[in-house]
Amino acid sequence: MSEPQQSTTQPPQSPKVDIIYHNMHTGSDFRTFRAASQGPVEEVLLQVAQHVKDECYKIISISASEHSFVVVMTTDLSKETLRARGFPFPNPERE
C-alpha cells in the first residue's frame, strides 16, 4: 500500500512588485527611494497617478513589468513635504 502524497500546491498570492523612484531634480534632498508592494502592478500605477495628481512630482519616464516598477521623476520637494503629501504610500490621516 502506498503512502498518501502531500500536496505541494501553494495558495495563490499577489505578486510582489519592486518599486524604485529616481528624482532627477538636484534641488531636492530626495534622490532615490525603493519600496515593495504586494501588487498587482496596476495598483502601483494608480498610486503613481495619485502622486502626480497630488503634485508630488512630474514623471520623466516609467518602466514597468509584472514585478518591477521604475519611476524616473522630477521634484524640488523635500522628503518631509513628499511624506506629508502621501509619498510613497497614502497617509490614512489625509484621506
Side-chain angles (χ1 to χ4, degrees), residues 13-19 37-44 63-70:
Q13 295 180 355
S14 291
K16 288 188 178 181
V17 180
D18 187 35
I19 310 165
S37 171
Q38 289 301 312
V41 72
E42 291 84 0
E43 288 181 15
V44 176
S63 176
S65 66
E66 186 177 5
H67 299 288
S68 175
F69 201 97
V70 179

Side-chain angles (χ1 to χ4, degrees), residues 21 47-48 50-51 54 56-57 79-92 94-95:
Y21 298 90
Q47 183 60 51
V48 168
Q50 187 63 50
H51 293 159
D54 291 342
C56 291
Y57 52 79
K79 293 177 194 175
E80 183 178 334
T81 302
L82 287 167
R83 275 192 293 272
R85 292 189 184 187
F87 176 86
F89 302 110
N91 181 348
R94 287 189 74 227
E95 296 177 0

